[in-house]
Amino acid sequence: MSSQTIETVDRSLQRVSASARLSASFIDGRTRLARLYQDGAAKIRMPQTDGGPLEAILINTAGGLTGGDRIGWEIAIGAGASATITTQACEKVYKANSGRAEASVQLSVATGGRIAWLPQETIVFERAAFMRRLDVELAHDAEALIVEATIFGRLAMGESAVNGSFHDRWRIRSGGRMVHAEDFSMGPKIAGTLARSAVTGGDIAVATVLFITPEPERLVDAARAIIGDQGGVSAWRVGRTGKLLARLHAGDGYSLRKRLVPLIELLNGQAGLPKVWSL
């Protein structure tokens, strides 16, 4: 019998380690791309727009995240510039065999600038483990509209997220002062937590909307009319900074989006909704 050389195969799963950075400046009367950096599965594309804010679309070419994956986005908006940032599709967080998936977002806006952070929904699958960090630094007179929506399972596909872990951490500063901080965490029994009447009463789709703007009070009544009784909205001030905070929940992603879309259109003014969003 002839001898054979047996080659050892490394069966460890390949992990995503990706990051991308974008900066925009106000030049010759419009917002223009200043710098762009992309590494690994993190890509950024910019469709042509007819004036108005710069629009950037974030893409994770890995097709989703699982335990051990890391992806980071960094967006810097210069003085007087305006940008709308969204994603090509919903981000999917799959079952984690070990570790957790992590996403980090760093946003900064200089004086007189504005950013609308409008990613499409994050879909959390059964036994997923996910940590997201959102850090925002605003000049004292900068505006920011920040939206994060999450769906725990996909009813249309017969999928549910009963078990797993999910942690969403936000830190927003304006003029160097902390104006909003929250840590939303669930697990290991996700479905059990959502079932509580003080949480969503069993609804699997949730969204948080934060709008840092000088006069948030003028938008409260219109926002409440859109949200209805499945959520709430309030506005107040932290020092000189005004903010509107809304939370929504629904039985499925489509029902959530039917209210989230008009709410974004209300708060985002003439910039409206990113082209890739649709019902």
Side-chain angles (χ1 to χ4, degrees):
M1 181 180 294
S2 61
S3 62
Q4 293 181 338
T5 302
I6 300 176
E7 185 176 339
T8 301
V9 178
D10 183 3
R11 298 185 182 276
S12 63
L13 294 176
Q14 194 172 19
R15 300 303 185 192
V16 171
S17 179
S19 63
R21 299 191 294 270
L22 177 151
S23 63
S25 302
F26 190 71
I27 302 172
D28 296 331
R30 64 177 299 178
T31 301
R32 301 177 186 272
L33 175 68
R35 290 186 178 181
L36 176 64
Y37 170 84
Q38 304 172 118
D39 179 61
K43 308 298 182 187
I44 302 178
R45 299 293 181 263
M46 282 153 290
Q48 289 186 344
T49 57
D50 298 327
L54 178 77
E55 186 171 312
I57 300 174
L58 312 183
I59 305 170
N60 175 11
T61 59
L65 299 170
T66 187
D69 289 344
R70 305 286 184 271
I71 193 165
W73 308 100
E74 185 175 337
I75 311 294
I77 307 302
S82 178
T84 296
I85 314 297
T86 187
T87 55
Q88 183 187 41
C90 297
E91 183 66 277
K92 299 176 179 65
V93 185
Y94 297 108
K95 175 183 176 181
N97 291 321
S98 63
R100 68 183 181 188
E102 295 187 5
S104 64
V105 178
Q106 296 182 52
L107 310 177
S108 64
V109 186
T111 184
R114 189 182 193 277
I115 191 169
W117 173 257
L118 307 175
Q120 298 191 61
E121 299 89 340
T122 297
I123 301 175
V124 178
F125 285 71
E126 172 69 1
R127 298 193 181 280
F130 183 57
M131 169 72 177
R132 178 169 54 211
R133 296 181 178 88
L134 176 67
D135 292 285
V136 184
E137 291 284 350
L138 305 173
H140 74 278
D141 60 347
E143 281 195 349
L145 172 60
I146 301 168
V147 176
E148 285 287 359
T150 307
I151 304 170
F152 295 93
R154 297 186 299 184
L155 292 181
M157 301 293 184
E159 301 164 351
S160 59
V162 177
N163 304 290
S165 67
F166 178 86
H167 186 186
D168 204 10
R169 174 189 179 277
W170 293 26
R171 298 292 185 271
I172 289 86
R173 293 174 175 82
S174 177
R177 178 178 183 174
M178 185 76 71
V179 295
H180 186 83
E182 65 174 76
D183 282 77
F184 173 53
S185 182
M186 289 197 298
K189 301 296 183 183
I190 290 176
T193 301
L194 291 173
R196 297 173 186 169
S197 57
V199 184
T200 69
D203 284 349
I204 66 167
V206 299
T208 297
V209 179
L210 176 67
F211 189 25
I212 304 296
T213 187
E215 299 178 350
E217 301 85 357
R218 62 186 175 83
L219 298 165
V220 169
D221 289 342
R224 285 176 176 164
I226 293 170
I227 292 171
D229 58 2
Q230 288 182 289
V233 60
S234 57
W236 66 99
R237 294 183 177 276
V238 180
R240 295 187 299 169
T241 303
K243 68 175 185 177
L244 179 149
L245 180 66
R247 303 198 193 272
L248 301 78
H249 59 91
D252 57 73
Y254 179 72
S255 299
L256 180 72
R257 188 172 274 216
K258 283 199 298 184
R259 287 179 295 137
L260 191 56
V261 163
L263 181 60
I264 291 173
E265 290 176 329
L266 169 71
L267 302 180
N268 209 24
Q270 293 183 348
L273 202 68
K275 294 179 181 178
V276 295
W277 276 67
S278 61
L279 281 171

